[in-house]
Amino acid sequence: MDLLSLIADNDLYTLHSHTQYCDGRAPMEDFARQAAAQGFRVYGFTPHSPVPIESPCNMSFESVPEYKAEVQRLAKEYPGIKFLTGMEIDYLGPQWGPANEYFKTLDLDFTIGSVHFIPTQDGEMIDIDGKPERFQRNLAEKFHSDLDYVVDTFFSQSQAMVAEDCFDIVGHLDKIKHNASTVRPDIEETPRYQKQVNDLIDSVIASGKIVEINTKAWKEHHQLFPAQRHWKRLVEAGVPIVVNSDAHFPERINESRPQVLHALNYLLNHS
C-alpha cells in the first residue's frame, strides 16, 4: 500500500494507535468515533504484535482475526475514513520480528517496526519501554545497573531490525533516550550516544523506509521521537516522514500533531 499517497495533502491522519487489543485504553470503536468527530481521513490501527514471550502489552495470537474483522466493520460504519489494518511489530532478534513468516500471512495494510524489548546479559527478553520507574527497577535487577549495555543493545537491535527490510515505518527510532535520561540526564549529549543514533539514522536513510515523528510524549515530557535535532538531517536526505500520535486514549489521537506538523513543514520549506 502506498501510504504516502494516502496522506498526501492531508494532515488529518495517524498511522500509529493502540486499542483494547494490546495496551490501549479503549475499544477500537471509541477511536473510530473520535477520528470521525475530528475529521480524520486516514486512520491506521497498529496493535503491538503478538510475541512468543510473556507480555501484557502485546496482543494475543488468538485475537488477530477478531482485530482484522473489527477494522473491516468500522470501515463500513464510517465510510468517510480510510481505516488501515496495521501492526506495530516487535523486533526481538533474528528469531522474531517483521521478517518472520507469520506476519506475511496476515495480509496487513502496513507495518511499523519497533524495539521495545532487549535481551539481558543472560539472554532474558525484557521490556525497556513503559514507565521510568519500571525501567529503573529492571535496569538494577535485570541489567546489573549497566545503562551503557541497555542503550548499546537498543541501538544494535534497531540496526538489525532496519537491515531486515520487511516493514514500512520505523517506529520511535530513538525512544530509548526517554527512559535512559531519567538515569543519565545528559545522555543525548554524550559522544557514545550521538554516534549510535547517527549510525542508526545512516542505516534508515540507506533503507528508504518511512520514519515517524512520534508525538506521544510531547505534551507531558516535551520529548519527540526522533528528537527535533535530527529532523534536518532526515529531511535533507529525502527520508519520507509521517507524524503519528501513538495514541492509547481516543481523545489523544491528534495530540501535539498540529504543532509538530507546523515545525516540520517550516523545515521542509526552508531546507
Side-chain angles (χ1 to χ4, degrees):
M1 178 171 288
D2 188 347
L3 295 173
L4 298 176
S5 292
L6 277 179
I7 63 172
D9 302 318
N10 166 36
D11 287 343
L12 286 170
Y13 70 87
T14 188
L15 302 175
H16 194 162
S17 68
H18 299 285
T19 67
Q20 82 272 23
Y21 287 103
C22 54
D23 59 349
R25 303 304 178 88
M28 286 173 64
E29 177 129 31
D30 290 1
F31 287 83
R33 188 179 302 113
Q34 186 67 225
Q38 295 196 35
F40 272 57
R41 291 167 56 191
V42 178
Y43 196 94
F45 291 105
T46 54
H48 291 290
S49 70
V51 288
I53 58 175
E54 186 71 25
S55 172
C57 295
N58 290 71
M59 75 186 308
S60 67
F61 288 91
E62 294 75 18
S63 64
V64 173
E66 180 183 322
Y67 154 65
K68 293 177 64 181
E70 181 65 357
V71 179
Q72 296 304 311
R73 185 188 73 80
L74 291 172
K76 294 176 181 177
E77 187 169 340
Y78 298 89
I81 305 172
K82 177 70 172 177
F83 286 111
L84 303 180
T85 308
M87 192 171 285
E88 184 176 15
I89 302 177
D90 274 294
Y91 182 80
L92 304 183
Q95 74 279 14
W96 193 260
N100 191 279
E101 287 297 320
Y102 167 74
F103 296 108
K104 298 176 184 178
T105 70
L106 299 183
D107 193 28
L108 299 167
D109 292 323
F110 74 102
T111 55
I112 298 173
S114 295
V115 173
H116 299 96
F117 299 83
I118 66 168
T120 67
Q121 295 92 329
D122 302 318
E124 181 184 2
M125 297 302 301
I126 296 295
D127 187 351
I128 56 168
D129 202 47
K131 294 188 178 299
E133 297 79 14
R134 185 181 67 173
F135 174 83
Q136 293 165 14
R137 184 172 63 252
N138 282 335
L139 178 65
E141 296 176 0
K142 301 292 187 177
F143 295 102
H144 312 296
S145 298
D146 190 343
L147 184 64
D148 285 336
Y149 171 85
V150 170
V151 175
D152 291 352
T153 306
F154 171 85
F155 280 110
S156 65
Q157 291 284 88
S158 298
Q159 288 274 17
M161 178 186 73
V162 169
E164 285 197 345
D165 196 30
C166 292
F167 62 97
D168 301 295
I169 301 173
V170 180
H172 44 64
L173 67 82
D174 63 350
K175 197 179 181 186
I176 187 60
K177 70 180 182 186
H178 179 53
N179 278 332
S181 65
T182 68
V183 179
R184 189 178 298 164
D186 67 340
I187 192 162
E188 285 190 90
E189 311 308 323
T190 63
R192 182 177 187 144
Y193 179 92
Q194 290 178 1
K195 182 179 187 310
Q196 289 168 322
V197 73
N198 280 301
D199 285 350
L200 178 57
I201 290 172
D202 284 341
S203 296
V204 170
I205 290 170
S207 76
K209 288 181 171 61
I210 300 169
V211 167
E212 73 166 6
I213 297 175
N214 186 303
T215 68
K216 178 185 175 184
W218 178 251
K219 185 174 181 180
E220 186 175 355
H221 302 287
H222 288 277
Q223 294 223 25
L224 296 167
F225 315 117
Q228 193 165 358
R229 67 176 71 186
H230 303 301
W231 297 2
K232 189 172 189 290
R233 187 162 169 236
L234 292 166
V235 166
E236 290 180 345
V239 174
I241 298 173
V242 296
V243 179
N244 290 333
S245 60
D246 192 0
H248 289 58
F249 297 84
E251 62 272 20
R252 297 181 184 176
I253 62 172
N254 205 34
E255 190 169 274
S256 303
R257 290 188 67 260
Q259 303 96 299
V260 170
L261 282 162
H262 178 78
L264 178 62
N265 287 332
Y266 180 87
L267 181 60
L268 287 166
N269 292 327
H270 291 82
S271 292

